[in-house]
Amino acid sequence: MYILGIVLNAGALVYAVTDDSPLFAVTFGLVMVYLGVRYWMVSNQ
């Protein structure tokens, strides 16, 4: 589920960058980082 969220956020990040919306791009980037950290934490248990 985390991987799907990261992929969807990557798509939204690309769209936000091409649409020239830096606030949304930063938000999607932070969400991707958060999901990556959560995935790493869950997979190392």
Side-chain angles (χ1 to χ4, degrees):
M1 210 60 182
Y2 288 108
I3 301 298
L4 177 63
I6 292 170
V7 169
L8 289 174
N9 272 290
L13 175 66
V14 168
Y15 180 76
V17 168
T18 58
D19 197 37
D20 214 18
S21 301
L23 184 61
F24 286 123
V26 169
T27 303
F28 289 129
L30 289 175
V31 170
M32 284 177 57
V33 168
Y34 170 76
L35 288 175
V37 169
R38 288 289 301 158
Y39 177 72
W40 175 73
M41 289 171 61
V42 168
S43 66
N44 281 339
Q45 283 185 344

